[in-house]
Amino acid sequence: MPSSSSTPMDQLFWTPHSGYHWDGAPGRFFEGWYCRLTLPAVAQSFAFMYSIDDPAGASILDSSSTPDLSGGAAQILGPDETYLYCPFPNVAGFWAWRGHLGLGHWGQVAGSGTVVYPPRYLEADRFRAGVSQGYQLTATHHQGQVQDPQTGLQARWDYTVVPRYGWGGDHEPPRPTAGWLSYLPIFEPGWQVLMAHGWGTGWIEWGRDRYDFHQAPVYCEKNWGHAFPEKWFWIQCNAFADEPDLSLTMAGARRQVLTHQETVGLVGLHYRGQFFELSSLRGQIQWQVTPWGDWWVSALTHRYRLELRGTCDATPAQVRVPTREGLQFRCWDTTHGHLTVSLWARSPAGRDCPFQESLILQAESTLAGLEVGGHDWQHPWQYSG
């Protein structure tokens, strides 16, 4: 694994938890990255999902059988939510930086069936010429070429990224999404929004189609740990036609905290240099989420009230997520959700009317990411806390 001294000089901005979390210990551990590029001009998205499971290569389901679950994968949700899946069973082909965002995985070097040099960050031309199956991702560059072995679908991409927001406002260092406790082994899994908003420039080839783009919205986040949430939903959008600087991320989950389960919700909104954070830990939050098709969230603090409404009439796409049995289809997703965001400022008014509210933001998009997942996704979910 390369040291941080091999990090390119363009790695000047990034958020906490950007680096790889595995400490070399044996046993089950996963880390996953999600990077989304939205192309408003053609109303399409590309959602890249990378994962590494059991990098030590020692886990099995039980003592009686079963293949080793160690390995990695690249999943891509492409135009019209077509799906590409490319496994990388050899963990020796994976690399990641500990101090910055930088990772990659490849199983083939051009002209060879095995990796013939240590995996590491490569200059774009060298990667393109030498790696016939693989990807690499940093804070400012994303490149890859993979093929789904089942469908034959091929994808190639190469684009640069200019970060706009991490997790926090313009005039403060980026924060850990789950607060300072996220540095302790308390929550399962860990979660970090790496880039709430950025701009991508380059190209993607998807089958026979090519997409060239300039300053397209980019979003990136990650998870890590030993367990995935029992149940969750997720809302994300940074492609609002009338508000190009607006980015919204929301997650609600039933997660493991030490020896018990807890339900938590968090909303982060970046808008014109400001950061609005509303959570169940520091305010009031409510939601009503159907198994598929309807998401409603209301979050309240003494200063702000925010309301989200997401809908999707189309059949969801399925993507794989980490489970005890390896990557499984337990997540239902769309990149074409309709989302309305409303934010009000609240100020003290008087005894009979404690607060008065003034609308400061209302925006909508038809290119929102909407998601539900987990073991219990078939039942409606209502929460107030």
Side-chain angles (χ1 to χ4, degrees):
M1 183 183 302
S3 67
S4 59
S5 63
S6 63
T7 307
M9 291 301 292
D10 57 14
Q11 297 272 354
L12 300 178
F13 163 91
W14 211 240
T15 51
H17 295 299
S18 292
Y20 187 35
H21 285 78
W22 184 51
D23 59 5
R28 200 64 183 278
F29 175 87
F30 78 88
E31 196 146 347
W33 297 260
Y34 175 97
C35 185
R36 183 179 176 205
L37 174 87
T38 307
L39 305 179
V42 293
Q44 298 290 357
S45 287
F46 290 87
F48 300 85
M49 292 158 275
Y50 304 129
S51 60
I52 188 73
D53 194 346
D54 180 28
S59 66
I60 57 174
L61 288 178
D62 56 54
S63 59
S64 64
S65 70
T66 75
D68 194 328
L69 296 176
S70 105
Q75 302 178 73
I76 309 174
L77 205 56
D80 299 319
E81 296 174 357
T82 49
Y83 177 72
L84 184 154
Y85 174 67
C86 179
F88 292 92
N90 184 6
V91 294
F94 178 81
W95 64 268
W97 292 328
R98 293 298 298 271
H100 302 272
L101 178 68
L103 64 138
H105 206 161
W106 45 86
Q108 285 190 324
V109 175
S112 172
T114 60
V115 176
V116 296
Y117 50 85
R120 61 191 183 275
Y121 179 78
L122 300 174
E123 295 301 322
D125 290 345
R126 188 177 181 191
F127 179 94
R128 192 178 305 115
V131 180
S132 59
Q133 184 96 307
Y135 67 85
Q136 58 182 15
L137 171 68
T138 75
T140 55
H141 183 220
H142 189 194
Q143 183 178 18
Q145 41 201 33
V146 297
Q147 182 175 28
D148 190 315
Q150 296 296 318
T151 66
L153 178 61
Q154 293 182 319
R156 299 175 65 242
W157 62 96
D158 190 349
Y159 62 90
T160 58
V161 178
V162 177
R164 171 69 176 108
Y165 293 119
W167 187 256
D170 268 359
H171 305 295
E172 60 179 328
R175 310 176 194 169
T177 301
W180 68 269
L181 287 174
S182 62
Y183 291 98
L184 304 176
I186 294 175
F187 306 120
E188 287 289 354
W191 178 51
Q192 178 71 43
V193 174
L194 297 170
M195 183 187 296
H197 201 18
W199 304 106
T201 298
W203 55 267
I204 296 176
E205 293 177 353
W206 187 258
R208 298 181 178 180
D209 298 323
R210 180 181 171 101
Y211 300 83
D212 293 280
F213 48 89
H214 179 69
Q215 294 189 343
V218 173
Y219 171 86
C220 191
E221 68 175 43
K222 70 183 298 187
N223 292 100
W224 68 93
H226 300 83
F228 221 62
E230 177 184 325
K231 184 173 184 176
W232 75 91
F233 73 95
W234 175 86
I235 300 171
Q236 185 275 323
C237 189
N238 59 340
F240 296 88
D242 297 328
E243 296 290 351
D245 196 51
L246 172 62
S247 177
L248 182 284
T249 307
M250 193 280 158
R254 188 182 300 146
R255 68 180 180 183
Q256 187 75 25
V257 181
L258 296 177
T259 60
H260 67 280
Q261 296 271 338
E262 74 169 5
T263 298
V264 292
L266 175 65
V267 183
L269 187 149
H270 295 78
Y271 177 58
R272 298 182 181 179
Q274 299 184 74
F275 179 55
F276 305 87
E277 185 176 19
L278 303 92
S279 78
S280 56
L281 302 178
R282 292 183 288 273
Q284 300 176 29
I285 193 165
Q286 303 176 67
W287 64 68
Q288 295 179 14
V289 178
T290 63
W292 183 256
D294 194 28
W295 295 254
W296 174 83
V297 178
S298 177
L300 183 70
T301 70
H302 69 285
R303 297 183 62 190
Y304 301 103
R305 180 167 69 90
L306 181 138
E307 186 168 307
L308 309 175
R309 179 65 186 273
T311 58
C312 180
D313 296 329
T315 302
Q318 293 189 56
V319 300
R320 293 169 168 91
V321 294
T323 73
R324 183 177 178 275
E325 296 78 25
L327 288 175
Q328 300 288 325
F329 284 114
R330 292 184 185 168
C331 180
W332 290 260
D333 213 326
T334 183
T335 56
H336 289 79
H338 182 270
L339 177 66
T340 300
V341 179
S342 302
L343 179 68
W344 293 266
R346 309 178 77 221
S347 57
R351 178 177 299 177
D352 296 332
C353 181
F355 288 93
Q356 64 181 17
E357 297 182 339
S358 57
L359 184 68
I360 58 175
L361 169 65
Q362 190 160 48
E364 63 179 326
S365 175
T366 56
L367 293 172
L370 303 174
E371 179 179 286
V372 295
H375 296 284
D376 190 32
W377 70 274
Q378 300 96 332
H379 299 96
W381 194 6
Q382 297 186 11
Y383 175 78
S384 180

